Amino acid sequence: MATRDDIVAAAGHIMSERGYAHATTKEIAREAGYSEATLYKHFADKTEIFLAVLSERSPGLVPTLAGLHEHGPSRDVRDNLADVAAAALGFYAENFPVAMSLFSATELLAAHRARLAELGGPGPRFPLEELARYVAAEQRRGRIRGDVAADSVAALLLGACFQQAFLTVFEGGTRDASQRRHDGQRLADTVLAGLTPGTMSPGRA
């Protein structure tokens, strides 16, 4: 579907360069080289296009999270968490310019939030919830301590990725796939240091 791909690519470019508010369907269609009528044959509105940009033009955080439940049990926990961290670092860095522009006006954010709820697609909590679900599964398998909160573990890892990606973008830097993998392994090792069975939980020293 070349036409649809062209529209998503055009939307991603405009949203990254000019922000979400300025990425009107008219501008997206013009950038893609099509009419607005053609755009609406593929998408109901700009929110649907935005979701397509996040899921299709960004490093594969969603597929990585999905793979945890299918392939995670046969791999080391460290490797699984490092994969998630590397994907999250890329995803957040790629999408900061787009996502942050949603916060430029309260009415814009409110309208987007309402439309997202109508569409019923995965929202910004999806990575946190999926990672927490994986951590809970590893707790049941005995590879992660059972006395820690799975959602807190997920928040610690993804929060660290979010912060590091923010600083990279703010400072005008870039990190290639190899560097993100290295950073992801370091973050995974740090989080795992207190999670493996036999480590002492806080307050029990």
Side-chain angles (χ1 to χ4, degrees):
M1 297 177 62
T3 301
R4 184 184 184 283
D5 292 343
D6 291 342
I7 292 169
V8 173
H13 178 260
I14 293 175
M15 289 177 182
S16 295
E17 294 295 321
R18 300 180 229 168
Y20 183 86
H22 296 286
T24 63
T25 53
K26 183 177 181 179
E27 287 298 317
I28 293 169
R30 179 184 294 128
E31 176 83 9
Y34 300 106
S35 66
E36 274 192 278
T38 300
L39 182 149
Y40 284 118
K41 289 180 181 178
H42 297 274
F43 299 96
D45 54 24
K46 189 168 74 172
T47 301
E48 281 196 359
I49 300 173
F50 173 76
L51 294 176
V53 169
L54 290 185
S55 63
E56 298 172 24
R57 297 191 66 251
S58 305
L61 179 57
V62 172
T64 299
L65 289 166
L68 289 177
H69 307 297
E70 183 177 355
H71 307 295
S74 64
R75 305 175 72 236
D76 289 340
V77 175
R78 176 183 184 264
D79 290 336
N80 290 330
L81 294 184
D83 285 350
V84 171
L89 286 165
F91 179 85
Y92 292 137
E94 178 79 16
N95 289 297
F96 262 123
V98 179
M100 291 302 101
S101 64
L102 283 170
F103 293 82
S104 61
T106 55
E107 63 272 18
L108 177 64
L109 179 60
H112 178 77
R113 186 189 300 121
R115 179 58 179 146
L116 189 62
E118 290 176 6
L119 291 172
R125 283 188 176 273
F126 176 79
L128 182 66
E129 292 170 347
E130 283 298 286
L131 183 54
R133 189 159 72 93
Y134 164 73
V135 172
E138 291 292 13
Q139 289 177 312
R140 291 191 294 271
R141 285 189 280 267
R143 299 205 297 177
I144 288 179
R145 278 189 9 226
D147 61 340
V148 295
D151 57 346
S152 294
V153 174
L156 284 171
L157 184 60
L158 292 178
C161 293
F162 189 91
Q163 172 74 356
Q164 189 162 322
F166 166 77
L167 292 174
T168 297
V169 174
F170 180 80
E171 293 167 355
T174 58
R175 303 289 284 174
D176 62 25
S178 176
Q179 291 170 318
R180 289 196 301 269
R181 178 66 188 180
H182 176 263
D183 295 341
Q185 288 175 334
R186 292 183 63 197
L187 290 172
D189 285 342
T190 300
V191 171
L192 272 175
L195 295 181
T196 51
T199 56
M200 191 171 293
S201 61
R204 297 188 181 181

